[in-house]
Amino acid sequence: AASIALYQNDIKKVLAYSTVSQLGYMFLALGVGAYSSGVFHVMTHAFFKALLFLGAGSVIHAMSGEQDIRNMGGLKKYMSVTHITFLLACLAIAGMPPFSGFFSKDEILAAAYNSSEINGKVLWGIGVLTAVMTAFYMFRLYAMTFLGKFRGTHEQQHHLHESPKAI
């Protein structure tokens, strides 16, 4: 799922494949007997993924329904609150300390590494690779959406705004 997320250009598809990838982390925890770590990751994931989907909804609203990140860029200038909250959620899902995703992923990776399973070190390596891939596709999504120059239409650029408080 992480490898598929690397090649998606639809903002919601990146987040959807990311969820499937994080479910793999949860199942890794179950597979090595780290049940509480798996539940911990379910909880942390629920919060940062909710924030990411809310941010994506705000971006889609501002872009008049556009979901293709290749037609975005530069939204930081127009959507400062969404930009900051999306960045914080990206840091959390990427597992950067001191954010929640760091602690939940670290617990799972430690359990895999210390597992009595014959392939514990291999599972740990796959987990680390997946964490790196997650960080890459999330910051690719962030950069293509909020950084650089705006790549949409003039009409979309004219409509860009922060979402109302209700959203």
Side-chain angles (χ1 to χ4, degrees), residues 13-165:
K13 284 185 181 180
V14 173
L15 297 177
Y17 282 113
S18 170
T19 298
V20 177
S21 175
Q22 298 307 301
L23 286 169
Y25 252 94
M26 297 165 207
F27 274 91
L28 172 61
L30 296 176
V32 297
Y35 307 113
S36 59
S37 298
V39 172
F40 181 36
H41 194 60
V42 168
M43 292 303 296
T44 61
H45 177 262
F47 286 97
F48 54 67
K49 191 52 69 83
L51 188 55
L52 287 165
F53 269 112
L54 288 168
S58 182
V59 166
I60 293 166
H61 171 74
M63 292 287 298
S64 304
E66 179 69 59
Q67 293 182 201
D68 192 333
I69 60 176
R70 295 173 294 189
N71 298 328
M72 296 179 186
L75 298 185
K76 175 182 176 180
K77 176 180 173 183
Y78 304 97
M79 306 177 73
S80 59
V81 173
T82 302
H83 160 256
I84 291 296
T85 56
F86 204 90
L87 175 60
L88 292 172
C90 283
L91 290 167
I93 195 171
M96 301 297 288
F99 295 94
S100 61
F102 168 77
F103 295 104
S104 61
K105 286 182 178 184
D106 184 57
E107 285 295 317
I108 294 170
L109 290 172
Y113 191 83
N114 295 320
S115 171
S116 61
E117 294 290 322
I118 196 157
N119 293 323
K121 307 292 188 278
V122 172
L123 294 174
W124 173 84
I126 293 169
V128 169
L129 176 64
T130 304
V132 169
M133 292 169 72
T134 299
F136 181 82
Y137 66 69
M138 287 311 299
F139 285 107
R140 173 185 173 266
L141 174 63
Y142 166 76
M144 289 187 72
T145 304
F146 292 101
L147 304 180
K149 293 184 75 170
F150 183 71
R151 296 179 298 276
T153 66
H154 180 69
E155 183 179 319
Q156 286 172 326
Q157 188 172 17
H158 181 68
H159 184 261
L160 290 175
H161 63 283
E162 192 67 67
S163 295
K165 291 191 186 300

